[in-house]
Amino acid sequence: MKTHSLTSSAHAALPVVPPRPATRFTLPDDLNADAPPEARGVARDGVRLLVADGRDAVQHSAFHHLGTYLRAGDLLVVNTSATLPAAVDAVRADGRGVLVHFSTALDDGRWIAELRPPGNEGGPVPDGRTGEEVALPDGTVLTVDEAFPDPAVREGSRLWTVRVTTPAGAPEDVPAYLHRHGRPIAYGYLRGRWPLTHYQTVFSHEPGSAEMPSAARPFTTDVVLGLIASGVVIAPVTLHTGVSSLESGEAPLPERYRVPEQTARLAALTRANGGRVIAVGTTATRALESAALPDGTVVARDGWTDLVLGPDRPAFAVDGLITGLHAPEASHLLLLEAVAGPEVVGRAYQAALEQGYLWHEFGDSSLLLRA
């Protein structure tokens, strides 16, 4: 198993700004899912499901009918990362409030974090700076170390590497601290706050994601058992997601991932027997493709991935994916196009807009298959 490490000194070779996706659209405000489906009177597995494969007309269904569109021998690859309550209210040295979004744990004990205005209004604060100290609840201190990914930036970076220490000056156990004082990261389109249980999936096992791997949210125990009974195989990968509040055109962050040996073997067996490898979400896709060779072979691997799927790097191993609906010009759209093709994705998004599907982590779902 191959292992890579990442510290701030390794950030200089981050991907260049990716190309813009071919799928272009404007998202009306009323299609933002502003609350979990349960709060709208809809079961987790009752959200809408759009199916597009480039051959037939786009089909519309409900998520609990997912098995209708899968076959015995297909492999679903799911992300077992669990969501952290990664948002913490804090106070800057000059008394101004600030919201800290913890994004990614680094190998040297530091974290990547984003500083945002109180109430999460707009983007990151414009005047964060190297060396700044931020007071967290219970006397814990966050010290801004250096800009991420470019340590040469001294002020105004969107992301920072930070150190978190206890009142006694010892390194803080950040995940444990977040479970005491944090809440789930939420953006302006949401109405109200929702407990952490709303941000976990049936596959959540290993805490580490700043934001929910939300493509798996509509899965329930009943859906999973039904798929297994019909001959669909389910295999795990782990990818801990960072913050998704990227600027337009900004490349995805490096993320920690793991593809186990048994998952690599199941992918090979599936392909050998004519089945399809279908990833549940962009996170599972990124993890599996980070361990994929050009001939589609998947190998066991773990460490950090900076893979950006797109026109220059199509999907090698993944034949389709289950995913929510992503914001205009998000880098996720490039990944969808690398798997299913721009024509399939464009047709699916046009149909979703016409039929009033809901976007974001608490919205509706889609199954996109390579033509």
Side-chain angles (χ1 to χ4, degrees), residues 166-243:
T166 68
E172 180 65 86
D173 180 341
V174 173
Y177 180 85
L178 292 176
H179 279 287
R180 295 195 304 271
H181 296 287
R183 63 178 183 272
I185 289 176
Y187 295 109
Y189 51 79
L190 287 182
R191 172 175 46 84
R193 294 181 181 176
W194 304 96
L196 186 61
T197 53
H198 283 278
Y199 292 84
Q200 306 294 12
T201 77
V202 71
F203 306 113
S204 295
H205 175 67
E206 181 181 341
S209 282
E211 301 187 25
M212 172 175 53
S214 56
R217 192 183 192 278
F219 282 87
T220 60
T221 301
D222 286 345
V223 169
V224 171
L225 292 176
L227 292 174
I228 293 172
S230 68
V232 174
V233 179
I234 299 176
V237 296
T238 302
L239 184 139
H240 296 310
T241 69
V243 293

Coordinates of all heavy atoms in Angstrom, one line a residue, residues 166-243:
T166 N -4.3 24.2 23.8 CA -5.1 24.3 25.0 C -4.7 25.5 25.8 O -3.7 26.2 25.5 CB -4.9 23.0 25.8 OG1 -3.6 23.1 26.4 CG2 -5.1 21.8 25.1
P167 N -5.5 25.9 26.8 CA -5.1 27.0 27.6 C -3.7 26.9 28.3 O -3.0 27.9 28.5 CB -6.2 27.1 28.7 CG -7.4 26.5 28.1 CD -6.8 25.4 27.2
A168 N -3.3 25.6 28.4 CA -2.0 25.4 29.0 C -0.9 25.4 28.0 O 0.3 25.2 28.3 CB -1.9 24.0 29.7
G169 N -1.2 25.6 26.7 CA -0.2 25.7 25.6 C 0.1 24.3 25.0 O 0.9 24.3 24.1
A170 N -0.6 23.3 25.3 CA -0.4 22.0 24.7 C -1.2 21.8 23.4 O -2.2 22.5 23.3 CB -0.8 20.9 25.7
P171 N -0.7 21.0 22.5 CA -1.6 20.8 21.3 C -2.9 20.3 21.6 O -3.1 19.4 22.4 CB -0.7 19.7 20.5 CG 0.7 19.9 21.0 CD 0.5 20.2 22.4
E172 N -3.9 20.8 21.0 CA -5.3 20.4 21.2 C -5.7 19.2 20.3 O -5.2 19.2 19.2 CB -6.3 21.6 20.9 CG -7.7 21.3 21.1 CD -8.1 21.0 22.6 OE1 -8.3 22.0 23.3 OE2 -8.2 19.8 22.9
D173 N -6.5 18.3 20.9 CA -7.1 17.3 20.1 C -8.3 17.9 19.3 O -9.4 18.0 19.9 CB -7.5 16.1 21.0 CG -8.2 15.0 20.2 OD1 -8.6 15.2 19.1 OD2 -8.3 13.9 20.8
V174 N -8.1 18.3 18.1 CA -9.0 19.1 17.4 C -10.4 18.4 17.2 O -11.4 18.9 17.4 CB -8.5 19.7 16.1 CG1 -9.6 20.4 15.3 CG2 -7.3 20.7 16.4
P175 N -10.4 17.1 16.7 CA -11.7 16.5 16.5 C -12.5 16.4 17.8 O -13.7 16.6 17.8 CB -11.3 15.1 16.0 CG -10.0 15.3 15.3 CD -9.3 16.3 16.1
A176 N -11.8 16.0 18.9 CA -12.5 16.0 20.2 C -13.0 17.4 20.6 O -14.2 17.5 21.1 CB -11.6 15.4 21.2
Y177 N -12.2 18.4 20.3 CA -12.6 19.8 20.6 C -13.9 20.2 19.8 O -14.8 20.8 20.3 CB -11.5 20.7 20.4 CG -11.8 22.1 20.7 CD1 -11.7 22.6 22.0 CD2 -12.3 23.0 19.7 CE1 -12.0 24.0 22.3 CE2 -12.6 24.3 20.0 CZ -12.5 24.8 21.3 OH -12.8 26.1 21.6
L178 N -13.8 19.8 18.5 CA -15.0 20.2 17.7 C -16.3 19.5 18.1 O -17.3 20.1 18.1 CB -14.7 19.8 16.2 CG -13.5 20.6 15.5 CD1 -13.3 20.0 14.1 CD2 -13.9 22.0 15.5
H179 N -16.2 18.3 18.6 CA -17.4 17.6 19.1 C -17.9 18.2 20.4 O -19.1 18.1 20.7 CB -17.1 16.1 19.3 CG -17.2 15.3 18.0 ND1 -18.3 15.0 17.4 CD2 -16.2 14.8 17.3 CE1 -18.1 14.3 16.3 NE2 -16.8 14.2 16.2
R180 N -17.1 19.0 21.1 CA -17.5 19.7 22.3 C -18.1 21.1 21.9 O -19.0 21.5 22.5 CB -16.4 19.9 23.3 CG -15.9 18.6 23.9 CD -15.1 18.8 25.1 NE -13.9 19.7 24.9 CZ -12.7 19.3 24.5 NH1 -12.5 18.0 24.3 NH2 -11.7 20.2 24.4
H181 N -17.5 21.7 20.9 CA -17.8 23.2 20.7 C -18.2 23.5 19.3 O -18.7 24.6 19.1 CB -16.6 24.0 21.1 CG -16.2 23.9 22.5 ND1 -16.9 24.5 23.5 CD2 -15.1 23.3 23.1 CE1 -16.3 24.3 24.7 NE2 -15.2 23.5 24.5
G182 N -18.1 22.6 18.4 CA -18.4 22.9 17.0 C -19.8 22.6 16.6 O -20.6 22.0 17.3
R183 N -20.2 23.0 15.4 CA -21.4 22.6 14.7 C -21.1 22.4 13.3 O -20.1 22.8 12.8 CB -22.5 23.8 14.9 CG -22.1 25.1 14.3 CD -23.2 26.1 14.5 NE -22.9 27.4 13.8 CZ -22.2 28.4 14.3 NH1 -21.7 28.3 15.5 NH2 -21.9 29.5 13.6
P184 N -22.1 21.7 12.5 CA -21.8 21.5 11.1 C -21.6 22.8 10.3 O -22.3 23.8 10.6 CB -23.0 20.7 10.7 CG -23.6 20.1 11.9 CD -23.3 21.1 13.0
I185 N -20.7 22.8 9.4 CA -20.6 23.9 8.4 C -21.9 24.0 7.6 O -22.4 23.0 7.1 CB -19.4 23.7 7.5 CG1 -18.1 23.8 8.3 CG2 -19.4 24.6 6.3 CD1 -16.9 23.5 7.5
A186 N -22.4 25.2 7.5 CA -23.6 25.5 6.8 C -23.4 26.8 6.0 O -22.8 27.8 6.5 CB -24.8 25.6 7.7
Y187 N -24.1 26.9 4.9 CA -23.9 28.1 4.0 C -25.3 28.9 4.0 O -26.3 28.4 4.5 CB -23.4 27.7 2.6 CG -22.0 27.2 2.7 CD1 -21.7 25.8 2.5 CD2 -20.9 28.0 3.1 CE1 -20.4 25.3 2.6 CE2 -19.6 27.5 3.2 CZ -19.4 26.2 2.9 OH -18.1 25.7 3.1
G188 N -25.2 30.0 3.3 CA -26.3 31.0 3.4 C -27.6 30.5 2.8 O -28.7 31.1 3.1
Y189 N -27.6 29.5 2.0 CA -28.9 29.1 1.4 C -29.7 28.2 2.4 O -30.9 27.9 2.1 CB -28.7 28.3 0.1 CG -27.7 27.2 0.2 CD1 -28.0 25.9 0.8 CD2 -26.4 27.3 -0.3 CE1 -27.1 24.9 0.9 CE2 -25.4 26.3 -0.2 CZ -25.8 25.1 0.4 OH -24.8 24.1 0.5
L190 N -29.1 27.8 3.5 CA -29.8 27.0 4.5 C -30.7 27.9 5.4 O -30.3 29.0 5.8 CB -28.9 26.1 5.3 CG -28.2 25.0 4.6 CD1 -27.4 24.2 5.5 CD2 -29.3 24.0 4.0
R191 N -31.8 27.3 5.8 CA -32.7 28.0 6.7 C -32.6 27.3 8.1 O -32.9 26.2 8.3 CB -34.2 27.9 6.2 CG -35.2 28.4 7.2 CD -36.6 28.4 6.5 NE -36.8 27.1 5.8 CZ -37.3 26.0 6.4 NH1 -37.5 26.0 7.7 NH2 -37.5 24.9 5.6
G192 N -32.0 28.0 9.0 CA -31.8 27.5 10.4 C -30.6 26.6 10.5 O -29.8 26.4 9.5
R193 N -30.4 26.0 11.7 CA -29.3 25.1 11.9 C -29.9 23.7 12.2 O -30.9 23.6 12.8 CB -28.5 25.6 13.2 CG -27.7 26.9 12.9 CD -26.9 27.3 14.1 NE -26.2 28.6 13.9 CZ -25.5 29.2 14.9 NH1 -25.4 28.6 16.1 NH2 -24.9 30.3 14.6
W194 N -29.1 22.7 11.8 CA -29.5 21.4 11.9 C -28.4 20.5 12.7 O -27.3 20.8 12.5 CB -29.8 20.8 10.6 CG -30.8 21.6 9.8 CD1 -30.5 22.6 8.9 CD2 -32.2 21.6 10.0 NE1 -31.7 23.2 8.5 CE2 -32.8 22.6 9.2 CE3 -33.1 20.9 10.8 CZ2 -34.1 22.9 9.1 CZ3 -34.4 21.1 10.7 CH2 -34.9 22.1 9.9
P195 N -28.8 19.6 13.5 CA -27.9 18.8 14.3 C -27.0 17.9 13.4 O -27.3 17.7 12.2 CB -28.7 18.0 15.2 CG -30.1 17.9 14.5 CD -30.2 19.2 13.8
L196 N -25.9 17.5 14.0 CA -24.9 16.7 13.2 C -25.5 15.5 12.6 O -25.0 15.0 11.6 CB -23.7 16.4 14.2 CG -22.5 15.7 13.5 CD1 -21.9 16.6 12.4 CD2 -21.5 15.4 14.6
T197 N -26.4 14.9 13.3 CA -27.0 13.6 12.7 C -27.6 13.8 11.3 O -27.6 12.9 10.5 CB -28.1 13.1 13.6 OG1 -29.1 14.2 13.9 CG2 -27.6 12.6 15.0
H198 N -28.0 15.0 11.0 CA -28.5 15.3 9.7 C -27.4 15.3 8.6 O -27.7 15.3 7.4 CB -29.3 16.7 9.6 CG -30.6 16.6 10.2 ND1 -31.7 16.1 9.5 CD2 -31.1 16.9 11.5 CE1 -32.8 16.2 10.3 NE2 -32.4 16.7 11.5
Y199 N -26.2 15.4 9.1 CA -25.0 15.5 8.2 C -24.2 14.2 8.1 O -23.1 14.2 7.6 CB -24.1 16.6 8.6 CG -24.7 18.0 8.5 CD1 -25.5 18.5 9.4 CD2 -24.4 18.8 7.3 CE1 -26.1 19.8 9.3 CE2 -25.0 20.1 7.2 CZ -25.8 20.5 8.2 OH -26.4 21.8 8.0
Q200 N -24.8 13.1 8.6 CA -24.1 11.8 8.5 C -24.9 10.9 7.6 O -26.1 11.1 7.4 CB -24.0 11.1 9.9 CG -23.4 12.0 11.0 CD -21.9 12.2 10.8 OE1 -21.3 12.0 9.7 NE2 -21.2 12.8 11.8
T201 N -24.2 10.0 7.0 CA -24.8 9.1 6.1 C -24.8 7.7 6.7 O -24.2 7.4 7.7 CB -24.0 9.0 4.7 OG1 -22.8 8.2 4.9 CG2 -23.6 10.4 4.2
V202 N -25.5 6.8 6.1 CA -25.6 5.4 6.6 C -24.3 4.7 6.6 O -24.0 3.7 7.3 CB -26.7 4.6 5.8 CG1 -26.2 4.3 4.4 CG2 -27.1 3.3 6.6
F203 N -23.3 5.2 5.8 CA -22.0 4.7 5.6 C -21.0 5.4 6.5 O -19.8 4.9 6.5 CB -21.5 4.7 4.2 CG -22.5 4.1 3.2 CD1 -23.2 4.9 2.3 CD2 -22.8 2.7 3.2 CE1 -24.1 4.3 1.4 CE2 -23.7 2.1 2.3 CZ -24.3 2.9 1.4
S204 N -21.4 6.4 7.2 CA -20.4 7.2 8.0 C -19.8 6.3 9.1 O -20.5 5.6 9.9 CB -21.1 8.4 8.7 OG -21.6 9.3 7.8
H205 N -18.4 6.3 9.1 CA -17.8 5.4 10.1 C -16.5 6.1 10.7 O -16.3 6.0 11.9 CB -17.3 4.1 9.4 CG -16.5 3.2 10.2 ND1 -17.0 2.5 11.3 CD2 -15.2 2.8 10.1 CE1 -16.1 1.8 11.9 NE2 -15.0 2.0 11.2
E206 N -15.7 6.8 9.9 CA -14.5 7.3 10.4 C -14.5 8.9 10.3 O -14.5 9.4 9.2 CB -13.3 6.8 9.5 CG -12.0 7.3 9.9 CD -10.8 6.8 9.0 OE1 -11.1 5.8 8.3 OE2 -9.8 7.4 9.0
P207 N -14.6 9.6 11.5 CA -14.7 11.0 11.4 C -13.5 11.7 10.7 O -12.4 11.2 10.9 CB -14.8 11.4 12.9 CG -15.3 10.2 13.6 CD -14.7 9.0 12.8
G208 N -13.8 12.7 9.9 CA -12.7 13.4 9.3 C -13.1 14.4 8.2 O -12.2 15.2 7.8
S209 N -14.3 14.4 7.8 CA -14.8 15.3 6.7 C -15.3 16.6 7.3 O -16.1 16.6 8.2 CB -15.9 14.7 5.9 OG -15.3 13.7 5.0
A210 N -14.8 17.7 6.7 CA -15.3 19.0 7.1 C -16.7 19.2 6.7 O -17.5 19.9 7.4 CB -14.4 20.1 6.5
E211 N -17.1 18.6 5.6 CA -18.5 18.7 5.1 C -18.9 17.3 4.7 O -18.1 16.5 4.3 CB -18.6 19.7 3.9 CG -18.1 21.1 4.4 CD -18.4 22.2 3.3 OE1 -19.2 22.0 2.4 OE2 -17.6 23.2 3.3
M212 N -20.2 17.1 4.7 CA -20.8 15.8 4.5 C -20.5 15.3 3.1 O -20.8 16.0 2.1 CB -22.3 15.9 4.7 CG -23.1 14.6 4.4 SD -24.8 14.7 4.8 CE -25.4 16.2 4.0
P213 N -20.1 14.1 2.9 CA -20.1 13.4 1.6 C -21.5 13.1 1.2 O -22.0 12.0 1.4 CB -19.3 12.1 1.9 CG -18.5 12.3 3.2 CD -19.4 13.2 4.0
S214 N -22.2 14.1 0.7 CA -23.7 14.2 0.8 C -24.3 13.3 -0.3 O -25.5 13.0 -0.2 CB -24.1 15.6 0.6 OG -23.6 16.2 -0.6
A215 N -23.6 12.8 -1.3 CA -24.2 11.9 -2.3 C -24.9 10.7 -1.7 O -25.8 10.2 -2.2 CB -23.2 11.5 -3.3
A216 N -24.3 10.2 -0.5 CA -24.8 9.0 0.1 C -25.9 9.3 1.1 O -26.5 8.4 1.7 CB -23.7 8.3 0.8
R217 N -26.3 10.6 1.3 CA -27.3 10.9 2.3 C -28.6 10.2 2.1 O -29.3 9.8 3.0 CB -27.5 12.4 2.4 CG -28.3 12.8 3.6 CD -28.6 14.3 3.7 NE -29.1 14.6 5.1 CZ -30.4 14.4 5.4 NH1 -31.3 14.0 4.5 NH2 -30.8 14.7 6.7
P218 N -29.1 10.0 0.8 CA -30.4 9.4 0.6 C -30.4 7.9 0.9 O -31.5 7.3 0.9 CB -30.7 9.7 -0.8 CG -29.9 10.9 -1.2 CD -28.6 10.7 -0.4
F219 N -29.3 7.3 1.0 CA -29.3 5.8 1.3 C -29.8 5.6 2.7 O -29.5 6.3 3.7 CB -27.9 5.3 1.2 CG -27.4 5.0 -0.2 CD1 -26.8 6.1 -0.9 CD2 -27.5 3.8 -0.8 CE1 -26.3 5.9 -2.2 CE2 -27.1 3.6 -2.1 CZ -26.5 4.6 -2.8
T220 N -30.7 4.6 2.8 CA -31.1 4.1 4.1 C -30.8 2.6 4.2 O -30.4 2.0 3.3 CB -32.7 4.3 4.2 OG1 -33.3 3.6 3.2 CG2 -33.0 5.8 4.1
T221 N -31.0 2.1 5.4 CA -30.8 0.7 5.6 C -31.6 -0.2 4.7 O -31.2 -1.2 4.1 CB -31.1 0.3 7.1 OG1 -30.2 1.0 8.0 CG2 -30.8 -1.2 7.3
D222 N -32.9 0.2 4.5 CA -33.8 -0.5 3.6 C -33.3 -0.5 2.1 O -33.3 -1.5 1.4 CB -35.2 0.1 3.6 CG -35.9 -0.3 4.9 OD1 -35.5 -1.2 5.6 OD2 -37.0 0.3 5.2
V223 N -32.8 0.7 1.7 CA -32.3 0.8 0.3 C -31.0 -0.1 0.2 O -30.9 -0.8 -0.8 CB -31.9 2.3 0.0 CG1 -31.1 2.3 -1.3 CG2 -33.2 3.1 -0.1
V224 N -30.1 0.0 1.2 CA -28.9 -0.8 1.1 C -29.2 -2.3 1.1 O -28.7 -3.1 0.2 CB -28.0 -0.5 2.3 CG1 -26.8 -1.5 2.3 CG2 -27.5 0.9 2.2
L225 N -30.1 -2.8 2.0 CA -30.5 -4.2 2.0 C -31.1 -4.6 0.7 O -30.9 -5.7 0.2 CB -31.4 -4.5 3.2 CG -30.7 -4.3 4.6 CD1 -31.8 -4.5 5.7 CD2 -29.6 -5.3 4.7
G226 N -32.0 -3.8 0.1 CA -32.6 -4.1 -1.1 C -31.6 -4.3 -2.3 O -31.7 -5.2 -3.1
L227 N -30.6 -3.4 -2.3 CA -29.6 -3.5 -3.3 C -28.7 -4.8 -3.2 O -28.5 -5.5 -4.2 CB -28.6 -2.3 -3.3 CG -29.3 -0.9 -3.6 CD1 -28.3 0.2 -3.4 CD2 -29.7 -0.9 -5.1
I228 N -28.4 -5.1 -2.0 CA -27.6 -6.3 -1.7 C -28.4 -7.5 -2.1 O -27.9 -8.5 -2.8 CB -27.2 -6.4 -0.2 CG1 -26.2 -5.3 0.1 CG2 -26.6 -7.8 0.1 CD1 -25.8 -5.1 1.5
A229 N -29.7 -7.5 -1.8 CA -30.5 -8.7 -2.1 C -30.7 -8.9 -3.6 O -30.9 -10.0 -4.1 CB -31.9 -8.5 -1.5
S230 N -30.5 -7.8 -4.4 CA -30.7 -7.8 -5.8 C -29.4 -8.1 -6.5 O -29.3 -8.2 -7.8 CB -31.2 -6.5 -6.4 OG -30.3 -5.5 -6.2
G231 N -28.3 -8.3 -5.8 CA -27.0 -8.7 -6.4 C -26.0 -7.5 -6.6 O -25.0 -7.8 -7.2
V232 N -26.4 -6.4 -6.1 CA -25.4 -5.2 -6.2 C -24.4 -5.3 -5.1 O -24.8 -5.6 -3.9 CB -26.2 -3.9 -6.1 CG1 -25.2 -2.7 -6.1 CG2 -27.1 -3.7 -7.3
V233 N -23.2 -5.2 -5.4 CA -22.1 -5.3 -4.4 C -21.7 -3.9 -3.9 O -21.7 -2.9 -4.7 CB -20.9 -6.0 -5.0 CG1 -19.8 -6.1 -3.9 CG2 -21.3 -7.4 -5.5
I234 N -21.4 -3.7 -2.6 CA -21.1 -2.4 -2.0 C -19.7 -2.5 -1.4 O -19.4 -3.5 -0.7 CB -22.1 -2.0 -1.0 CG1 -23.5 -1.8 -1.7 CG2 -21.7 -0.6 -0.4 CD1 -24.6 -1.4 -0.7
A235 N -18.8 -1.6 -1.7 CA -17.4 -1.7 -1.2 C -17.0 -0.3 -0.7 O -17.4 0.7 -1.3 CB -16.5 -2.1 -2.3
P236 N -16.2 -0.2 0.3 CA -15.8 1.1 0.9 C -14.5 1.7 0.4 O -13.6 1.0 0.0 CB -15.6 0.7 2.4 CG -15.0 -0.7 2.3 CD -15.7 -1.4 1.1
V237 N -14.5 3.0 0.3 CA -13.3 3.8 0.3 C -13.4 4.9 1.4 O -14.5 5.0 1.9 CB -13.0 4.4 -1.1 CG1 -12.8 3.4 -2.2 CG2 -14.1 5.4 -1.5
T238 N -12.4 5.6 1.7 CA -12.5 6.7 2.6 C -11.8 7.9 2.0 O -10.7 7.8 1.5 CB -11.8 6.4 3.9 OG1 -12.4 5.2 4.5 CG2 -12.0 7.5 4.9
L239 N -12.5 9.0 1.9 CA -11.9 10.3 1.6 C -12.5 11.4 2.5 O -13.7 11.5 2.5 CB -12.1 10.6 0.1 CG -11.4 11.9 -0.4 CD1 -10.8 11.8 -1.8 CD2 -12.4 13.1 -0.4
H240 N -11.6 12.0 3.2 CA -12.0 13.1 4.1 C -12.1 14.4 3.4 O -11.0 14.9 2.9 CB -11.0 13.2 5.3 CG -11.0 12.0 6.2 ND1 -12.2 11.4 6.6 CD2 -10.0 11.2 6.6 CE1 -11.9 10.3 7.4 NE2 -10.6 10.2 7.4
T241 N -13.2 14.9 3.2 CA -13.5 16.1 2.4 C -13.1 17.4 3.2 O -13.3 17.5 4.4 CB -14.9 16.3 2.0 OG1 -15.7 16.6 3.2 CG2 -15.4 15.0 1.4
G242 N -12.5 18.4 2.5 CA -12.2 19.7 3.0 C -13.4 20.6 2.8 O -14.5 20.2 2.3
V243 N -13.2 21.9 3.1 CA -14.3 22.8 2.9 C -14.6 22.9 1.4 O -13.7 22.8 0.5 CB -14.0 24.2 3.4 CG1 -13.9 24.2 4.9 CG2 -12.7 24.8 2.8

